[in-house]
Amino acid sequence: QKEVEQDPGPLSVPEGAIVSLNCTYSNSAFQYFMWYRQYSRKGPELLMYTYSSGNKEDGRFTAQVDKSSKYISLFIRDSQPSDSATYLCAMSWSGGYQKVTFGTGTKLQVIP
Amino acid sequence: DAGVIQSPRHEVTEMGQEVTLRCKPISGHNSLFWYRQTMMRGLELLIYFNNNVPIDDSGMPEDRFSAKMPNASFSTLKIQPSEPRDSAVYFCASRATDSNQPQHFGDGTRLSIL
């Protein structure tokens, strides 16, 4: 079993929809949680990061962490075609953001 | 500010040849990371440096792979000899170790070994 599991998709939604992306993890030592967005032929770009359980909002994006269930989510409101990309969850334990374990990514397509 | 800069962006070479990938981290960042990304395995950490010193190279797949960081602004990842199964996208990332900021990635080198 992988330490971090992420549904690869692809996920296809109409423009304006609410998107929910999820990851589960097995290592309870993970304390730092991140979401990266990766456009085709580009490097991963940091979207959001958090240390604690609960919700963190940034514009149309909300990251949610439930450490008791070992489950993290990224919600995208009012999705736009420009959100079409692969979304990778990532997490790390003591040492902060040094040694990071990534999910394999979920490919999202937002249809105009 | 300039981001992480990687070169070349694309490399196609024949099996058995030496391949050298290059990375310039963001100025002021003292940790540098090399990753490999494939469809099957996703993004895997190969090695990371802190203050130019290799800290963890447990992800380096074989002795054919080596990485150096001669100074704070430059790192190389070398594969010698290269094999077709090394074909992947290789990313470099950097961060400031004493900050609360995660890693920032370059745009990668797409490597094809024929």
Side-chain angles (χ1 to χ4, degrees), chain A residues 2 32 34 36 38 40-46 49 88 95-104, chain B residues 9-10 31 33 35 37 40 42-43 45 48 56 58 91 95 97 100-103 105-107 110:
Chain A
K2 291 182 180 178
Y32 300 80
M34 294 145 274
Y36 282 83
Q38 186 175 20
S40 179
R41 297 184 178 269
K42 301 286 281 184
E45 167 196 18
L46 180 67
Y49 63 98
L88 299 102
Y97 300 104
Q98 283 296 85
K99 193 164 181 182
V100 177
T101 301
F102 285 84
T104 50
Chain B
R9 290 298 314 276
H10 304 273
S31 289
F33 308 80
Y35 290 87
Q37 187 176 41
M40 289 296 292
L43 197 60
L45 177 66
Y48 81 89
D56 185 345
S58 59
F91 287 101
R95 69 179 291 262
T97 311
N100 194 32
Q101 298 293 315
Q103 301 171 24
F105 283 77
D107 283 338
R110 187 171 295 270

Side-chain angles (χ1 to χ4, degrees), chain A residues 1 37 53 64-65 81 90-91 97 103:
Chain A
Q1 182 188 7
R37 177 176 61 196
S53 281
Q64 188 175 81
V65 175
M91 44 200 82
Y97 300 104

Side-chain angles (χ1 to χ4, degrees), chain A residues 21-101:
Chain A
L21 304 167
N22 310 295
C23 285
T24 59
Y25 61 95
S26 57
N27 189 342
S28 58
F30 285 134
Q31 298 293 330
Y32 300 80
F33 303 92
M34 294 145 274
W35 284 95
Y36 282 83
R37 177 176 61 196
Q38 186 175 20
Y39 290 115
S40 179
R41 297 184 178 269
K42 301 286 281 184
E45 167 196 18
L46 180 67
L47 264 182
M48 299 187 72
Y49 63 98
T50 182
Y51 173 71
S52 58
S53 281
N55 292 354
K56 181 177 181 180
E57 191 172 318
D58 184 1
R60 296 184 297 110
F61 298 90
T62 299
Q64 188 175 81
V65 175
D66 182 347
K67 289 185 181 179
S68 62
S69 301
K70 299 190 184 66
Y71 189 87
I72 70 171
S73 299
L74 178 70
F75 298 96
I76 307 174
R77 289 184 299 282
D78 187 25
S79 56
Q80 302 295 308
S82 59
D83 296 328
S84 298
T86 296
Y87 290 79
L88 299 102
C89 63
M91 44 200 82
S92 63
W93 51 92
S94 61
Y97 300 104
Q98 283 296 85
K99 193 164 181 182
V100 177
T101 301

